[in-house]
Amino acid sequence: MDITESIQNSATVLGLAGRLDGLTSGTLEQKVDALVAGGAKRIVFDCGQLLYVSSAGLRVFLSSAKKLKTAGGSAAFAALTPAVREVFELSGFTTMLEIHPNAAAATAAKP
Amino acid sequence: MSSANLTFIEEIVLLALDDETGALLPMPPLAFRYALAGAAICDLALLNRIDTDPDKLVVLSKEPTGDPLLDEVLTAILSVGSTLRVSGWLNVLSEISKNLEAAALDRLVARGILRREEKKILWVFGVRRYPTVDNQERTEVRTRLANLILGDDLPDPRDAILISLLCASHLADKIFAGREFKMRSERMATLAKMDLVGREVAGIIDVVTRTLNASLPIGM
């Protein structure tokens, strides 16, 4: 999985491309931990190029959202592909997490 | 792993026991077996030995975990050599659930959390019970999960797994039985569906229960 990073409207946008599973979720977790330790308060996970999310991937998404909330920040998820939306809906993540149609909407939103 | 480094298998066993009598709390038929099988899968998942999605369970690493019990589970998975859905693996691993339960009880006794007691029923039938010695562990996890259910915070993945397994096996009904929890049934349902393995355990137990009910004579 490739992770790109940019800043939009004071939010850190992490663009995820490929597969988020047990082999790649550790990398994303380390990235998020570093951002939170560095003071990031708003992280948007742009899932527009994310083809697949496993249970391990969902756990990293959940733990990231929790870590940010604990640190006084927030996480948002944007541009869910059909495959990702399906597992989000199965797991109830669509009711528990902040979801937006695209990264621009997510970065513009006031959490 | 879990609080105080308990595995999910150990936590489910601990929470499934009545605090005072040390007997298993009532559960639907086979629920405990499937809950332990699910707990074992979740333990391996958090150790990055396996991963799951709605269609399959995949082995990420064959490297031993260092925990003999979890290594037994990993060996069982590797020995089958097939790609199964999580529900299929729950059926496979439920066959070794007695081993999981026994090993977990031994560990909880060794940690000083439970003690082993041999009792006689009607002076004849020997039964083994596991009354609590140190209730701190159980109290801590119950309090943490209760706060999660009654509040609106995001769960951490460990707690999402625990609640999912407890709801699936109907242990949550017994542990969180107060009126304040009944008013939060929607929240419990939302938390329960957050983990795939827990959802699969719930599905299997539902099928088993309905199948058994359908086979009962009319009027029972």
Side-chain angles (χ1 to χ4, degrees):
Chain A
M1 184 184 64
D2 294 320
I3 304 174
T4 58
E5 182 180 339
S6 62
I7 303 291
Q8 297 175 33
N9 288 335
S10 305
T12 302
V13 179
L14 295 180
L16 310 177
R19 295 171 58 91
L20 180 59
D21 57 24
L23 298 174
T24 58
S25 59
T27 303
L28 178 60
E29 186 167 32
Q30 285 170 14
K31 183 71 171 171
V32 170
D33 286 347
L35 287 169
V36 172
K41 289 289 187 254
R42 177 87 168 152
I43 296 179
V44 172
F45 295 88
D46 184 344
C47 304
Q49 304 295 320
L50 198 55
L51 303 176
Y52 170 86
V53 178
S54 73
S55 296
L58 290 177
R59 284 195 298 274
V60 169
F61 278 159
L62 181 61
S63 68
S64 298
K66 176 126 180 118
K67 285 172 189 173
L68 274 158
K69 190 172 179 186
T70 302
S74 63
F77 298 82
L80 305 188
T81 54
V84 174
R85 179 168 290 278
E86 183 180 356
V87 290
F88 265 51
E89 284 174 354
L90 277 172
S91 304
F93 277 32
T94 45
T95 57
M96 296 287 270
L97 301 177
E98 185 186 334
I99 313 282
H100 294 276
N102 51 59
T107 58
K110 295 286 181 266
Chain B
M1 290 295 176
S2 38
S3 48
N5 292 321
L6 293 186
T7 61
F8 284 120
I9 300 170
E10 289 162 346
E11 287 215 274
I12 292 295
V13 168
L14 182 60
L15 292 168
L17 295 172
D18 181 276
D19 290 20
E20 291 174 17
T21 67
L24 275 179
L25 295 169
M27 282 174 275
L30 305 181
F32 194 42
R33 286 176 61 164
Y34 284 109
L36 290 180
I41 290 174
C42 293
D43 277 320
L44 288 176
L46 262 64
L47 289 172
N48 254 4
R49 295 305 187 274
I50 60 119
D51 196 4
T52 60
D53 69 25
D55 294 321
K56 62 189 176 300
L57 179 152
V58 295
V59 174
L60 298 177
S61 169
K62 300 178 186 179
E63 189 181 334
T65 66
D67 181 316
L69 185 57
L70 296 181
D71 287 340
E72 180 185 339
V73 178
L74 185 57
T75 299
I77 291 173
L78 292 170
S79 70
V80 170
S82 304
T83 302
L84 301 175
R85 300 173 75 101
V86 169
S87 55
W89 285 112
L90 289 171
N91 281 317
V92 169
L93 296 176
S94 70
E95 296 298 318
I96 64 168
S97 63
K98 275 295 176 193
N99 295 357
L100 303 179
E101 179 187 354
L105 286 166
D106 285 346
R107 291 181 185 194
L108 291 168
V109 168
R111 284 174 177 267
I113 295 174
L114 303 174
R115 71 173 190 277
R116 188 175 285 113
E117 201 174 78
E118 308 285 346
K119 293 179 80 100
K120 290 278 190 204
I121 303 291
L122 297 177
W123 300 282
V124 174
F125 304 106
V127 292
R128 187 174 282 172
R129 295 284 185 258
Y130 291 86
T132 308
V133 175
D134 178 355
N135 212 24
Q136 182 183 343
E137 189 62 44
R138 191 189 269 127
T139 302
E140 184 198 305
V141 70
R142 276 190 193 151
T143 301
R144 197 175 71 241
L145 296 182
N147 289 339
L148 191 59
I149 293 165
L150 298 175
D152 291 304
D153 202 2
L154 283 172
D156 73 41
R158 278 206 54 83
D159 286 343
I161 288 170
L162 257 181
I163 285 191
S164 194
L165 291 172
L166 291 174
C167 287
S169 55
H170 295 238
L171 280 171
D173 299 340
K174 310 296 184 299
I175 296 167
F176 307 111
R179 187 163 169 270
E180 69 273 28
F181 295 108
K182 295 205 182 332
M183 293 170 64
R184 298 284 286 175
S185 57
E186 202 173 308
R187 166 78 171 171
M188 293 260 280
T190 300
L191 292 170
K193 70 189 276 195
M194 292 188 85
D195 181 70
L196 164 68
V197 175
R199 293 200 306 272
E200 293 293 323
V201 170
I204 287 184
I205 291 169
D206 183 52
V207 168
V208 167
T209 302
R210 284 190 283 115
T211 302
L212 288 173
N213 285 342
S215 67
L216 288 172
I218 295 173
M220 287 194 66

